[in-house]
Amino acid sequence: KTDFINFISDQEWKSIEPVSSWFGPSSFLMSSVSALFQLSMWIRHCHGYLTENVGIPVWASYAVFALATLFSGLILGLVSAALEALVTT
């Protein structure tokens, strides 16, 4: 507590550089990190639902997510290739 009070009263805070706008809480980078964290929590919730409520084995739940990852990558790749073809023509 005393260190914090001394930090304020001695104005040591003026010597610290501010956080870069890239790492600010409202920056695109931090918003993206937050979205990825929320996605991981949603996937964890879905995994728990599939294994506990539906009753499928853990390995099958992993297989579902692996296939979903492969198919989403395939779709994104196809969309990217189609957009590139449209731009270059």
Side-chain angles (χ1 to χ4, degrees):
K1 176 179 168 182
T2 57
D3 289 338
F4 181 69
I5 292 171
N6 291 337
F7 180 76
I8 300 299
S9 63
D10 295 341
Q11 297 184 353
E12 293 176 24
W13 53 271
K14 288 184 177 181
S15 64
I16 296 177
E17 291 187 33
V19 175
S20 170
S21 63
W22 280 93
F23 299 110
S26 61
S27 70
F28 176 75
L29 179 64
M30 289 298 123
S31 296
S32 300
V33 169
S34 173
L36 286 174
F37 180 74
Q38 290 174 351
L39 176 65
S40 70
M41 294 305 293
W42 180 78
I43 291 172
R44 181 178 176 210
H45 173 74
C46 289
H47 172 71
Y49 175 79
L50 290 173
T51 56
E52 295 169 10
N53 296 348
V54 177
I56 67 170
V58 171
W59 65 267
S61 175
Y62 289 150
V64 166
F65 289 114
L67 289 173
T69 302
L70 289 173
F71 284 124
S72 64
L74 175 66
I75 297 298
L76 288 173
L78 289 173
V79 168
S80 173
L83 289 175
E84 182 180 352
L86 285 174
V87 170
T88 58
T89 58

